[in-house]
Amino acid sequence: MRTATALGAGAMVCWGVAYVPSAWLVETWPPLVAAGARLGLGGLLLLGLLAVLHRPLRPGVGVGTVGWLAFTQSVLFYGATFWGIAHAGAGLAAVLANTDALFVAVLAAAVLGERLWPVQWAGLLVGLAGAAVVVWEGPLWPPALSGTALVVVGGAVAWSVGTVVVARGVRAEGDPLALAGWQMLAGGVVLCLAGLAWEGPPDAAGARELGLVVALAVVGSAAPFALFYLALTRAPAAEVSAWFFLVPVIGVLSAWPLLGEEPTLQLLAGMVGVCAGLWMVMGIRHGRPGRALVDSTAPP
């Protein structure tokens, strides 16, 4: 059990620390191209790892399912997250992108009929209130919302819709690691092509930028996916997923000294709300969350 905890927490740490090098990369690379390069290479590395381990490379689901997940969980989610990093900072993106599990919980209860415990409903209110604090901009009335923050939240909603629509089929037939590799690879290609057409080529492509892409592909994508699913083989999914709240905390706190993004009181308050909500929804002490919710815990 301790090994599973270490593996699960390690995956969350990897996802959390990836926000800083992502911010460094978008200094010279357009956000969509940066997101696509990270995902595409990450998918290739994950599939390569499976091949070396003689694990199946077939995702276990149809091309349509792979395409749907690539569109919602790779193109829309990562495109929005990197857009947020480029235009509002890594800290804000880390908090809002990781609200995806909250939206999955709402949709799983409404669409799939999955049961949520009362404390999980309370966690939804706390977490969404925290997100609202971050998104809110300007006076109390009339309401003014940050457009960039809404883009990031929209990406989190896209992730949740992608999860819920195919949840039953994926959990019954899919090979999670192979599916993750193919959807990242497909989504990465689409993001790169869209970014090059819309935003133009990167300003620089030297050793620094290529090193950041490789680091993000390994530390931010391939390694945490492998650690997360290895942890799932050793412990119940709810226990592994309970560490999900670490991702925004690490993202915000690492962006402070490394990027000079001193968190505002508003961002800290929102982070506390989102993290508390995630712990209440995903936590291990209040019963196990629904399967669609567990399936969603593959953050940026």
Side-chain angles (χ1 to χ4, degrees):
M1 190 66 68
R2 291 181 179 177
T3 300
T5 298
L7 291 170
M12 306 306 168
V13 170
C14 287
W15 276 314
V17 300
Y19 284 92
V20 167
S22 296
W24 286 333
L25 184 59
V26 297
E27 291 175 356
T28 54
W29 282 35
L32 297 186
V33 177
R38 166 187 166 173
L39 284 179
L41 182 56
L44 281 176
L45 291 174
L46 192 54
L47 293 172
L49 176 63
L50 293 177
V52 169
L53 297 176
H54 303 289
R55 292 280 304 274
L57 293 179
R58 295 177 63 88
V61 295
V63 174
T65 298
V66 175
W68 171 252
L69 291 176
F71 176 65
T72 56
Q73 296 190 346
S74 294
V75 175
L76 295 182
F77 176 78
Y78 279 95
T81 298
F82 271 71
W83 180 269
I85 292 172
H87 293 87
L92 179 141
V95 172
L96 294 180
N98 289 285
T99 58
D100 58 342
L102 302 176
F103 293 112
V104 170
V106 173
L107 292 177
V111 177
L112 302 179
E114 295 192 352
R115 179 188 176 189
L116 295 180
W117 295 66
V119 71
Q120 290 177 305
W121 284 110
L124 286 176
L125 294 177
V126 172
L128 293 177
V133 169
V134 178
V135 171
W136 202 274
E137 190 177 70
L140 185 62
W141 192 264
L145 305 179
S146 167
T148 300
L150 289 176
V151 168
V152 180
V153 172
V157 173
W159 180 290
S160 66
V161 172
T163 294
V164 170
V165 168
V166 299
R168 289 192 177 98
V170 168
R171 78 176 60 144
E173 305 171 4
D175 183 308
L177 280 178
L179 178 56
W182 285 113
Q183 77 176 64
M184 284 195 295
L185 177 58
V189 171
V190 172
L191 278 168
C192 283
L193 293 176
L196 290 172
W198 183 28
E199 302 168 320
D203 293 334
R208 174 183 180 273
E209 288 75 23
L210 296 180
L212 287 172
V213 171
V214 172
L216 285 169
V218 174
V219 177
S221 295
F225 267 106
L227 290 173
F228 182 75
Y229 286 110
L230 183 58
L232 290 180
T233 67
R234 298 168 180 255
E239 297 185 18
V240 177
S241 302
W243 296 100
F244 191 50
F245 77 95
L246 286 175
V247 180
V249 173
I250 294 171
V252 170
L253 295 185
S254 60
W256 188 352
L258 296 176
L259 298 175
E261 293 184 10
E262 183 175 354
T264 64
L265 181 60
Q266 179 182 357
L267 181 62
L268 288 175
M271 181 188 72
V272 170
V274 169
C275 291
L278 290 172
W279 174 252
M280 295 167 72
V281 172
M282 304 294 294
I284 62 177
R285 295 193 174 99
H286 310 296
R288 297 182 181 181
R291 286 295 305 277
L293 182 56
V294 170
D295 291 341
S296 78
T297 51

